[in-house]
Amino acid sequence: MRARAFAIGATSSGAGKTILTLGILAALVRRGLRVQPFKCGPDFIDPSLHQVVTGVSSYNLDLRMMGPEQCRSLFFEKAETVDVVVLEGVMGLFDGGPASTAELAKLLGLPVYLVIDARSCAESAAAVLKGFETFDGDLHVAGAIFNRIGSDRHRELIERSVLQHCRTPVIGWMPRDDVFHLAQRHLGLHMGEEQSLDEEGVARFVTVVEQRLAVERLLVPVALPEMEQPKGQPASARKRRLVKIGVAEDRAFCFYYRQNFELLEKMGFALVPFSPLQDRGLPSDLAMLYFGGGYPELYGAQLAANQSFRAAVRRLFDHGLPIYGECGGFMYLCRQLIDHQGQHHDMVGIFPFATVMGRRLRRLGYRDVTLTRTALFGRTGDRLYGHEFHYSDLDDAGAGQEVVVDGWETCYRLDNNSLEGYTVGAALGSYVHLHFANTPEALDHLRQQLVG
């Protein structure tokens, strides 16, 4: 398969990789090309920004959570009908070891264009490029983009050093200019649906990208590795009677992997959106409620004030309806949320904990989950894969114990030997964001739990 496809990596986080990716995506769209964006790693925010710029869903590719074959399968499936495929990397190019941008680019056969922040250096920037182009002989670093160039003299110093010491061509010199700015907060950039991208600013930035970056150099066709097509259709994906799952979707609950939704739909689930911020009640005939992650801490007062909705959730729980909450969704299902200002907000109250926002990151990293007993997504001993990233924690000193306390117990044992996955009745809550690409049988089990 020959396609125009490439990855955008960086020397480190904060080098300007996301902003440059958005500018490149916008420039490609402006040329009338059909673009399919991807994001390396367990990020929820960057894919939402990709979607705003391109108008199509962006997908995560994560070697740790999904595994190599699932990453390849999704990549080729979505790349088949577009003109250009763009993969935005995560952190520095080699950060994350076996789950790094470099390893993913090698798996997919993608050339990498490296973003280098030249703000506080000159000739030394060439030494950085030299190190990255020689660090892994199996990786194709196809070009360099020097970001935050302060002047023509600054550029000349770097360019002379690069020509003398490096083999990688420079395809872009981006100025040190705040023409395009993305607001940030404790979990990173603002989500795309929050209109964090100013259209006028994007247009100006695209103009700068076209002037300072050789976009046409990115569009050279590359030979991608052959992908064996799946043989037949698995039984779990055949058409079945639709089962409705209610999904919380608004500004407070917006962290979902797009592929998880598609896997649910292939399993015969119909996803019915609702808003804990705006709705007064829930849709009818639901088999389960799904509260994803997001920013409940920013909307604590509004969520608490919507008492009729919280009561509706509680009534369904009391009648035995399965309910699943991840991270922010789990926080909403707890007794109380204590925000950054120390304000206490009453939540649904299914789990007897208060969640307390901290100033520092409490947990960050991949999580391999082993079920210690049968639950919504599997039986005792089954494995699940996910990621944690949160600033809040439980205030209950008993959290993490294996025994039943106040009607709750745990069903997850994580690979760091801690206990997680809190259950009360038919409800399951956890700080771990699960990805189901590598464990589709978990969704088959879910369906059996819901419909028998």
Side-chain angles (χ1 to χ4, degrees):
M1 178 181 178
R2 292 187 65 80
R4 293 180 286 185
F6 57 89
I8 300 173
T11 52
S12 67
S13 293
K17 174 176 70 265
T18 296
I19 290 176
L20 277 169
T21 298
L22 294 173
I24 290 168
L25 289 173
L28 297 174
V29 170
R30 180 185 279 186
R31 293 175 178 216
L33 297 169
R34 296 169 299 168
V35 184
Q36 176 59 63
F38 290 96
K39 172 66 181 181
C40 176
D43 190 291
F44 295 104
I45 299 173
D46 289 352
S48 75
L49 297 170
H50 297 171
Q51 182 168 347
V52 169
V53 170
T54 64
V56 301
S57 296
S58 179
Y59 293 83
N60 298 80
L61 294 174
D62 192 293
L63 286 166
R64 176 69 185 272
M65 291 194 298
M66 298 168 61
E69 290 312 306
Q70 292 300 327
C71 285
R72 281 165 53 88
S73 177
L74 180 63
F75 177 84
F76 281 92
E77 175 193 341
K78 302 301 177 183
E80 221 171 23
T81 58
V82 299
D83 299 313
V84 190
V85 183
V86 181
L87 167 68
E88 181 187 348
V90 61
M91 300 186 295
L93 182 59
F94 299 104
D95 295 332
S100 68
T101 305
E103 291 302 316
L104 185 58
K106 288 193 294 183
L107 174 78
L108 300 174
L110 301 180
V112 175
Y113 294 92
L114 184 67
V115 179
I116 302 171
D117 183 358
R119 175 175 42 188
S120 301
C121 61
E123 290 92 341
S124 296
V128 173
L129 175 57
K130 182 73 172 179
F132 273 80
E133 71 181 11
T134 59
F135 188 81
D136 184 343
D138 295 328
L139 183 70
H140 180 201
V141 179
I145 303 169
F146 285 94
N147 195 23
R148 298 172 181 142
I149 298 296
S151 65
D152 289 341
R153 176 59 177 163
H154 187 199
R155 170 181 170 162
E156 289 169 6
L157 291 171
I158 297 173
E159 191 169 24
R160 185 183 307 141
S161 189
V162 167
L163 289 173
Q164 183 177 352
H165 298 287
C166 304
R167 64 172 183 266
T168 304
V170 180
I171 67 164
W173 303 91
M174 303 305 296
R176 189 184 306 167
D177 191 343
D178 199 24
V179 67
F180 188 37
H181 174 71
L182 293 175
Q184 297 197 44
R185 56 187 166 206
H186 60 289
L187 293 179
L189 301 173
H190 286 246
M191 297 289 287
E193 53 265 33
E194 296 178 281
Q195 298 182 336
S196 57
L197 297 175
D198 174 74
E199 288 187 15
E200 183 180 345
V202 172
R204 284 185 292 139
F205 189 71
V206 171
T207 300
V208 174
V209 167
E210 293 283 9
Q211 292 172 345
R212 305 295 184 95
L213 195 152
V215 177
E216 68 280 356
R217 297 280 293 274
L218 303 171
L219 299 177
V220 176
V222 295
L224 299 178
E226 289 187 8
M227 176 66 191
E228 185 177 339
Q229 297 301 313
K231 298 178 178 64
Q233 189 181 43
S236 58
R238 293 175 189 149
K239 189 172 182 180
R240 298 170 168 183
R241 177 174 65 85
L242 288 178
V243 178
K244 293 182 182 179
I245 293 180
V247 181
E249 288 192 79
D250 55 26
R251 291 192 175 192
F253 304 100
C254 48
F255 287 1
Y256 297 98
Y257 295 119
R258 177 64 193 169
Q259 191 184 8
N260 275 353
F261 280 176
E262 293 184 1
L263 289 169
L264 283 164
E265 289 167 346
K266 287 178 181 178
M267 289 289 180
F269 293 103
L271 307 182
V272 182
F274 60 81
S275 170
L277 287 172
Q278 303 294 337
D279 295 341
R280 295 295 174 237
L282 283 154
S284 60
D285 301 323
L286 298 178
M288 186 180 111
L289 300 182
Y290 178 8
F291 294 86
Y295 301 99
E297 66 274 14
L298 299 182
Y299 302 94
Q302 191 174 343
L303 290 168
N306 194 349
Q307 295 182 39
S308 62
F309 188 86
R310 290 190 289 119
V313 175
R314 185 62 197 234
R315 279 194 301 272
L316 290 178
F317 167 74
D318 290 339
H319 283 87
L321 188 80
I323 300 176
Y324 175 56
E326 269 186 352
C327 201
F330 172 49
M331 294 167 66
Y332 179 65
L333 298 175
C334 286
R335 171 175 51 84
Q336 202 169 60
L337 188 159
I338 304 172
D339 65 20
H340 283 116
Q341 288 71 45
Q343 297 296 312
H344 293 236
H345 306 288
D346 289 337
M347 297 287 109
V348 176
I350 290 174
F351 299 97
F353 317 120
T355 57
V356 185
M357 290 301 300
R359 296 292 175 184
R360 295 183 179 180
L361 194 61
R362 298 292 300 175
R363 298 284 189 278
L364 171 65
Y366 290 104
R367 300 291 180 257
D368 292 355
V369 176
T370 301
L371 288 172
T372 58
R373 61 185 184 83
T374 297
L376 279 175
F377 299 114
R379 301 184 182 279
T380 304
D382 286 352
R383 297 288 296 274
L384 301 168
Y385 302 95
H387 188 267
E388 261 188 295
F389 181 35
H390 55 95
Y391 280 74
S392 72
D393 213 342
L394 305 183
D395 73 339
D396 194 291
Q401 295 184 146
E402 200 157 11
V403 297
V404 176
V405 180
D406 292 332
W408 65 267
E409 57 186 323
T410 58
C411 64
Y412 290 179
R413 184 176 295 280
L414 306 184
D415 48 338
N416 60 8
N417 211 34
S418 63
L419 296 167
E420 238 267 10
Y422 304 96
T423 64
V424 175
L428 168 63
S430 171
Y431 272 117
V432 180
H433 292 277
L434 296 175
H435 199 298
F436 297 108
N438 209 22
T439 55
E441 63 275 9
L443 301 184
D444 225 353
H445 178 87
L446 174 65
R447 186 180 176 94
Q448 293 172 23
Q449 294 284 100
L450 298 185
V451 300

